[in-house]
Amino acid sequence: MKKITMVLMVLVLSLMVTSAAFANANEAAPKQAIMKIEKVYYMKGSGYYVAHTTKDKDGHFWVLQVTDISTPKEDKAFSQVLRKQYNGKQVVVTYVEPFDEDEEVEIWDVKIK
């Protein structure tokens, strides 16, 4: 019984070490995108206020969530305050691109200048 337990422990540990090694081998370097915020608006489907950036040379842009709490309907005065605060500001997005096309981009950090 002790031999079977020991063999199982060795097998599990070897699988853990192997998967950790593969995870480190596939780790991508973070990239940065610097763009300006083009517009801020209320997204009806989600209930969040979001910022939409200008497009880069490849036609890519970011849609960044501005608020942490969703609301059932838009507050026009709050929308105006967010537009004044964010429109035209430069944003730096630090991200990692996925290895698989089915995955989403992982955003590490967003800074507004």
Side-chain angles (χ1 to χ4, degrees):
M1 186 70 171
K2 289 183 181 181
K3 287 183 182 180
I4 293 174
T5 305
M6 192 60 122
V7 169
L8 285 174
M9 287 177 60
V10 169
L11 180 63
V12 169
L13 286 173
S14 67
L15 289 174
M16 290 172 57
V17 170
T18 304
S19 64
F22 283 127
N24 287 338
N26 291 335
E27 210 168 286
K31 297 181 179 183
Q32 282 192 332
I34 302 171
M35 299 173 174
K36 284 195 174 195
I37 294 176
E38 185 175 61
K39 60 185 171 181
V40 177
Y41 58 95
Y42 176 76
M43 189 178 286
K44 290 179 186 175
S46 68
Y48 291 99
Y49 293 86
V50 295
H52 195 283
T53 67
T54 56
K55 294 180 180 179
D56 66 7
K57 61 181 171 23
D58 298 323
H60 300 118
F61 59 91
W62 294 94
V63 178
L64 305 168
Q65 184 177 313
V66 176
T67 56
D68 289 332
I69 299 172
S70 67
T71 57
K73 72 179 215 181
E74 179 181 12
D75 179 343
K76 301 282 186 184
F78 187 58
S79 294
Q80 193 62 24
V81 168
L82 290 175
R83 284 185 191 104
K84 286 181 182 177
Q85 183 176 358
Y86 292 114
N87 276 350
K89 297 275 177 122
Q90 191 175 51
V91 65
V92 180
V93 180
T94 305
Y95 66 98
V96 176
E97 289 184 336
F99 290 107
D100 188 3
E101 290 181 16
D102 294 336
E103 295 177 11
E104 292 183 2
V105 172
E106 182 181 348
I107 296 177
W108 285 11
D109 188 37
V110 177
K111 291 184 182 176
I112 296 177
K113 292 186 172 187

